[in-house]
Amino acid sequence: MPADSSLAWMASLRDATSILGGLGYAALLSLIAARVGSGPHPLVRAIAATGQRSMTCYLLQSVTWALVFTPFLLNLSGRLTVPRQPCWPPAPGR
């Protein structure tokens, strides 16, 4: 196991390079976007479609969980425990 001073130095290096790496990725994506231009390039359309679908699925999941687990709606939080979730709907008589 490395010494504590070495671990602290490596953690600082990791933090600095991750920040700089993130800035580098942002700069790279900005350069790609500038090169593509404002026209509807297939890559730009694909990224936009992925973003639109992910937001739709996220909102649909949020509404579904609100309906299923809210006490004044379906209130299935007591019946859908972790072991029984794959078996939904619950078996009769349970």
Side-chain angles (χ1 to χ4, degrees):
M1 181 108 188
D4 288 338
S5 61
S6 298
L7 290 175
W9 184 81
M10 287 188 292
S12 299
L13 181 64
R14 183 202 64 212
D15 291 343
T17 56
S18 63
I19 291 170
L20 294 174
L23 291 174
Y25 279 125
L28 177 66
L29 289 175
S30 298
L31 288 173
I32 291 171
R35 180 169 214 133
V36 168
S38 61
H41 189 271
L43 179 64
V44 173
R45 285 196 310 260
I47 292 172
T50 302
Q52 290 169 353
R53 273 188 238 111
S54 64
M55 181 58 110
T56 301
C57 291
Y58 172 74
L59 291 174
L60 182 63
Q61 173 194 357
S62 298
V63 169
T64 302
W65 287 160
L67 289 172
V68 170
F69 294 117
T70 303
F72 57 86
L73 293 173
L74 293 178
N75 195 20
L76 295 177
S77 58
R79 293 174 54 187
L80 289 179
T81 59
V82 174
R84 291 175 66 189
Q85 281 182 354
C87 301
W88 191 72
R94 286 193 177 186

